[in-house]
Amino acid sequence: MVNIDDFVKRLEILLDYYVLNASAFADKIGVQRSSMSHLLSGRNKPSLDFVMKILEVFPDVDLYWILNGTGSFPKSNEQVSDNIKTTAPAPVQENLSGGDLFSEVYYKEAQKPETKYAQEIKNQNLSSEEGEIEKIVIFYKNGTFKAYNP
């Protein structure tokens, strides 16, 4: 049986080894960031799918090591095939200080929404083609209202 606390410690070893924060790790293996957060907090246990995704993306992680701590990490050179050795972890260029699980890895410049002037909006909402205004009703938060007849 998998001890969740020990699994979390081994997961943190993976994060340190690959120099990834939790959100980048979750994105890399293709799981939701909340799943990673719940695992690291001990709220949830790892699913088979989660473990298999780790093994698929990081082939030098030993199944028995990640599950119960036996074996070694990273796998010895004989266990890792030649084409896998060439996929060394790429350095992540991001600011890790002050970040949390849900912070974005890449920051984009915010696009300013298009603003319309009040007169343009009035002209859109009140066109003379719709006819004349019959009644204006104003509702107040205290439950009262006033009706105006122009």
Side-chain angles (χ1 to χ4, degrees):
M1 179 170 234
V2 176
N3 182 336
I4 187 68
D5 294 329
D6 292 339
F7 181 85
V8 169
K9 288 177 186 174
R10 288 188 291 276
L11 197 55
E12 289 171 346
I13 291 171
L14 286 176
L15 294 175
D16 291 340
Y17 181 80
Y18 290 106
V19 192
L20 295 171
N21 61 17
S23 61
F25 186 83
D27 292 343
K28 192 166 185 91
I29 66 171
V31 299
Q32 292 183 358
R33 293 176 179 185
S34 60
S35 298
M36 188 69 178
S37 174
H38 295 312
L39 272 169
L40 291 174
S41 69
R43 176 179 175 221
N44 291 356
K45 294 180 181 178
S47 66
L48 175 61
D49 186 49
F50 183 84
V51 173
M52 296 308 292
K53 285 182 178 184
I54 292 174
L55 297 177
E56 183 179 313
V57 175
F58 303 103
D60 54 341
V61 175
D62 184 50
L63 173 65
Y64 295 106
W65 177 81
I66 192 71
L67 289 178
N68 55 23
T70 60
S72 62
F73 173 74
K75 286 183 180 178
S76 64
N77 288 340
E78 299 87 40
Q79 294 173 315
V80 181
S81 67
D82 290 335
N83 73 359
I84 294 172
K85 285 187 216 174
T86 60
T87 59
V92 178
Q93 296 179 357
E94 62 179 292
N95 184 3
L96 297 177
S97 63
D100 62 345
L101 178 65
F102 301 103
S103 62
E104 291 293 326
V105 176
Y106 300 104
Y107 298 97
K108 295 180 180 177
E109 186 175 321
Q111 295 179 352
K112 294 182 181 179
E114 184 179 320
T115 58
K116 294 184 177 181
Y117 294 101
Q119 188 61 35
E120 292 176 27
I121 294 172
K122 281 183 187 177
N123 291 340
Q124 280 182 338
N125 292 336
L126 302 174
S127 68
S128 60
E129 297 169 1
E130 294 176 359
E132 292 184 38
I133 297 174
E134 180 180 333
K135 183 189 280 188
I136 299 173
V137 180
I138 299 175
F139 295 93
Y140 296 97
K141 289 185 179 180
N142 64 5
T144 61
F145 66 94
K146 286 187 181 178
Y148 296 97
N149 295 319

